[in-house]
Amino acid sequence: MDFGLLLMIVGLVVIIVSFFFKDASKQLAQDVEELSMNLYDESNRLAKRVKALEEEIMIGAPMPKTKKKDPLTQATLAAAQQIQQQAANKSVNPIIVNQVLALQKQGMSVADISARSNLSEAEVISVIAQNGGLSS
Protein backbone atom coordinates (compact mmCIF):
# COMPACT_ATOMS: atom_id res chain seq x y z
CA MET A 1 0.00 0.00 0.00
CA ASP A 2 0.96 3.45 -0.64
CA PHE A 3 1.68 5.70 2.37
CA GLY A 4 -0.44 8.57 0.96
CA LEU A 5 -3.44 6.24 0.54
CA LEU A 6 -3.07 5.09 4.16
CA LEU A 7 -3.08 8.70 5.44
CA MET A 8 -6.16 9.45 3.35
CA ILE A 9 -8.07 6.49 4.81
CA VAL A 10 -7.10 7.44 8.39
CA GLY A 11 -8.21 11.03 7.74
CA LEU A 12 -11.61 9.90 6.38
CA VAL A 13 -12.12 7.61 9.40
CA VAL A 14 -11.31 10.48 11.81
CA ILE A 15 -13.75 12.80 9.99
CA ILE A 16 -16.53 10.18 10.11
CA VAL A 17 -15.91 9.52 13.83
CA SER A 18 -15.96 13.26 14.59
CA PHE A 19 -19.58 13.46 13.43
CA PHE A 20 -20.63 11.10 16.23
CA PHE A 21 -19.06 13.15 19.04
CA LYS A 22 -20.75 16.27 20.45
CA ASP A 23 -19.12 19.59 19.83
CA ALA A 24 -17.85 20.87 23.21
CA SER A 25 -17.61 24.47 22.02
CA LYS A 26 -21.35 24.60 21.31
CA GLN A 27 -22.12 23.42 24.82
CA LEU A 28 -19.68 25.93 26.26
CA ALA A 29 -21.22 28.78 24.26
CA GLN A 30 -24.67 27.77 25.43
CA ASP A 31 -23.51 27.68 29.07
CA VAL A 32 -21.95 31.13 28.78
CA GLU A 33 -25.12 32.53 27.22
CA GLU A 34 -27.26 31.03 29.98
CA LEU A 35 -24.95 32.43 32.65
CA SER A 36 -25.03 35.91 31.13
CA MET A 37 -28.85 35.83 31.02
CA ASN A 38 -28.95 34.78 34.69
CA LEU A 39 -26.60 37.63 35.64
CA TYR A 40 -28.71 40.11 33.67
CA ASP A 41 -31.91 38.94 35.39
CA GLU A 42 -30.27 39.07 38.82
CA SER A 43 -28.93 42.59 38.25
CA ASN A 44 -32.41 43.75 37.17
CA ARG A 45 -33.94 42.25 40.32
CA LEU A 46 -31.34 43.95 42.49
CA ALA A 47 -31.92 47.28 40.76
CA LYS A 48 -35.65 46.98 41.42
CA ARG A 49 -35.00 46.18 45.09
CA VAL A 50 -32.68 49.17 45.45
CA LYS A 51 -35.26 51.43 43.84
CA ALA A 52 -37.98 50.13 46.17
CA LEU A 53 -35.73 50.70 49.21
CA GLU A 54 -34.89 54.22 48.07
CA GLU A 55 -38.59 54.98 47.71
CA GLU A 56 -39.29 53.60 51.19
CA ILE A 57 -36.52 55.74 52.64
CA MET A 58 -37.85 58.84 50.87
CA ILE A 59 -41.40 58.15 52.11
CA GLY A 60 -40.37 57.25 55.67
CA ALA A 61 -37.89 60.07 56.23
CA PRO A 62 -39.18 63.57 56.87
CA MET A 63 -38.27 66.14 54.28
CA PRO A 64 -35.35 68.30 55.38
CA LYS A 65 -36.35 71.80 56.38
CA THR A 66 -34.94 74.46 54.15
CA LYS A 67 -33.14 77.26 55.84
CA LYS A 68 -34.19 80.78 55.08
CA LYS A 69 -30.60 81.88 54.72
CA ASP A 70 -28.57 80.75 51.76
CA PRO A 71 -25.47 78.70 52.75
CA LEU A 72 -23.37 80.87 50.47
CA THR A 73 -24.62 83.97 52.26
CA GLN A 74 -23.87 82.38 55.63
CA ALA A 75 -20.34 81.56 54.46
CA THR A 76 -19.89 85.11 53.22
CA LEU A 77 -21.09 86.53 56.55
CA ALA A 78 -18.78 84.19 58.45
CA ALA A 79 -15.85 85.26 56.27
CA ALA A 80 -16.70 88.94 56.83
CA GLN A 81 -16.91 88.41 60.59
CA GLN A 82 -13.59 86.61 60.51
CA ILE A 83 -11.96 89.48 58.63
CA GLN A 84 -13.38 91.98 61.12
CA GLN A 85 -12.09 89.90 64.00
CA GLN A 86 -8.65 89.66 62.42
CA ALA A 87 -8.52 93.41 62.04
CA ALA A 88 -9.64 93.95 65.63
CA ASN A 89 -7.48 91.29 67.23
CA LYS A 90 -4.41 90.61 65.10
CA SER A 91 -2.59 88.59 67.74
CA VAL A 92 -5.10 85.67 67.65
CA ASN A 93 -4.88 83.24 64.73
CA PRO A 94 -8.15 82.83 62.76
CA ILE A 95 -7.94 79.06 63.17
CA ILE A 96 -7.84 79.48 66.95
CA VAL A 97 -10.74 81.93 66.72
CA ASN A 98 -12.78 79.31 64.87
CA GLN A 99 -11.78 76.71 67.46
CA VAL A 100 -12.78 78.99 70.34
CA LEU A 101 -16.14 79.73 68.74
CA ALA A 102 -16.81 76.05 68.02
CA LEU A 103 -15.97 75.08 71.60
CA GLN A 104 -18.18 77.87 72.92
CA LYS A 105 -21.07 76.63 70.76
CA GLN A 106 -20.57 73.16 72.24
CA GLY A 107 -21.23 74.66 75.67
CA MET A 108 -17.74 74.50 77.11
CA SER A 109 -16.74 76.90 79.86
CA VAL A 110 -14.29 79.74 79.29
CA ALA A 111 -11.70 77.98 81.45
CA ASP A 112 -11.94 74.77 79.38
CA ILE A 113 -11.71 76.72 76.12
CA SER A 114 -8.71 78.60 77.49
CA ALA A 115 -6.96 75.32 78.35
CA ARG A 116 -7.63 73.81 74.92
CA SER A 117 -6.74 76.85 72.83
CA ASN A 118 -3.68 78.01 74.81
CA LEU A 119 -5.20 81.47 75.23
CA SER A 120 -5.78 83.33 78.45
CA GLU A 121 -9.33 83.52 79.75
CA ALA A 122 -9.40 87.23 78.95
CA GLU A 123 -8.41 86.52 75.32
CA VAL A 124 -11.08 83.81 75.06
CA ILE A 125 -13.72 86.22 76.42
CA SER A 126 -12.50 88.89 73.98
CA VAL A 127 -12.69 86.54 70.99
CA ILE A 128 -16.19 85.37 71.94
CA ALA A 129 -17.39 88.92 72.56
CA GLN A 130 -16.09 90.12 69.21
CA ASN A 131 -17.78 87.27 67.37
CA GLY A 132 -21.30 87.12 68.66
CA GLY A 133 -21.25 87.64 72.41
CA LEU A 134 -21.36 85.29 75.35
CA SER A 135 -24.26 82.90 75.57
CA SER A 136 -23.56 81.48 79.01
Side-chain angles (χ1 to χ4, degrees):
M1 256 193 181
D2 190 350
F3 183 69
L5 183 64
L6 182 64
L7 282 176
M8 206 155 111
I9 292 172
V10 170
L12 285 173
V13 169
V14 170
I15 290 173
I16 291 170
V17 170
S18 70
F19 285 119
F20 294 108
F21 290 109
K22 287 188 174 182
D23 189 11
S25 64
K26 287 182 182 178
Q27 182 65 31
L28 182 62
Q30 187 178 9
D31 289 345
V32 169
E33 184 177 347
E34 184 179 328
L35 179 64
S36 67
M37 290 302 292
N38 287 339
L39 286 173
Y40 179 74
D41 289 341
E42 186 66 25
S43 66
N44 279 341
R45 274 189 251 132
L46 287 174
K48 287 179 184 177
R49 282 183 176 176
V50 168
K51 185 176 180 181
L53 287 173
E54 286 175 348
E55 288 175 358
E56 286 180 18
I57 290 172
M58 293 300 290
I59 290 171
M63 294 298 288
K65 295 179 181 177
T66 57
K67 295 181 179 179
K68 291 183 180 179
K69 292 184 179 179
D70 184 33
L72 183 61
T73 305
Q74 290 176 345
T76 307
L77 290 175
Q81 288 175 350
Q82 190 175 24
I83 291 170
Q84 288 173 353
Q85 191 280 330
Q86 286 175 359
N89 191 3
K90 293 187 182 202
S91 65
V92 180
N93 190 334
I95 295 172
I96 296 190
V97 170
N98 289 336
Q99 179 187 16
V100 167
L101 294 174
L103 292 173
Q104 192 260 341
K105 285 181 184 177
Q106 292 175 4
M108 296 187 79
S109 68
V110 174
D112 291 336
I113 296 172
S114 173
R116 287 189 180 212
S117 64
N118 294 328
L119 296 174
S120 68
E121 289 185 18
E123 289 174 318
V124 170
I125 293 171
S126 172
V127 167
I128 293 172
Q130 290 175 0
N131 292 286
L134 292 170
S135 63
S136 53

